[in-house]
């Protein structure tokens, strides 16, 4: 990866189930692939994600703070 390109990955939660387009990623960010049950798949906007899928996003580095905030790991003792 060169220049400002970065990869970001997260595990889809219950609220992330739906199509990749439903994720409403910021401009300059695209879901490119995902893993389900240990198998690799390429993704496009119509790909249907399920809870537990590991999603790989290719993004401009400026989007990383927003992506991290959205999908940061939740601590067991955090309260909603």
């Amino acid at each position: 990866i060169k220049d400002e390109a970065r990869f970001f990955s997260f595990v889809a939660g219950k609220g992330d189930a739906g199509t990749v387009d439903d994720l409403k990623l910021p401009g300059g960010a695209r879901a490119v692939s995902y893993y389900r049950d240990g198998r690799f798949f390429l993704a496009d906007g119509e790909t249907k994600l399920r809870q537990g899928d590991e999603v790989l996003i290719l993004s401009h580095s400026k989007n990383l703070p927003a992506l991290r905030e959205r999908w940061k790991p939740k601590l067991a003792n955090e309260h909603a």
Side-chain angles (χ1 to χ4, degrees):
I1 301 294
K2 293 183 180 183
D3 198 28
E4 296 297 322
R6 300 290 184 272
F7 281 114
F8 176 83
S9 67
F10 69 95
V11 176
K14 187 175 183 179
D16 301 315
T19 67
V20 165
D21 283 344
D22 292 339
L23 292 176
K24 305 288 188 218
L25 296 172
R30 293 191 182 162
V32 294
S33 64
Y34 63 102
Y35 292 90
R36 179 179 294 152
D37 299 325
R39 294 186 56 210
F40 169 80
F41 299 92
L42 290 173
D44 62 28
E46 297 300 313
T47 298
K48 293 188 182 205
L49 299 174
R50 297 181 194 162
Q51 184 175 355
D53 288 349
E54 184 179 350
V55 182
L56 183 65
I57 295 172
L58 178 61
S59 177
H60 189 283
S61 63
K62 68 182 178 184
N63 293 319
L64 289 181
L67 294 170
R68 287 182 181 130
E69 179 64 26
R70 183 171 175 187
W71 284 293
K72 68 181 178 183
K74 304 292 187 233
L75 299 177
N77 61 354
E78 282 186 3
H79 299 289

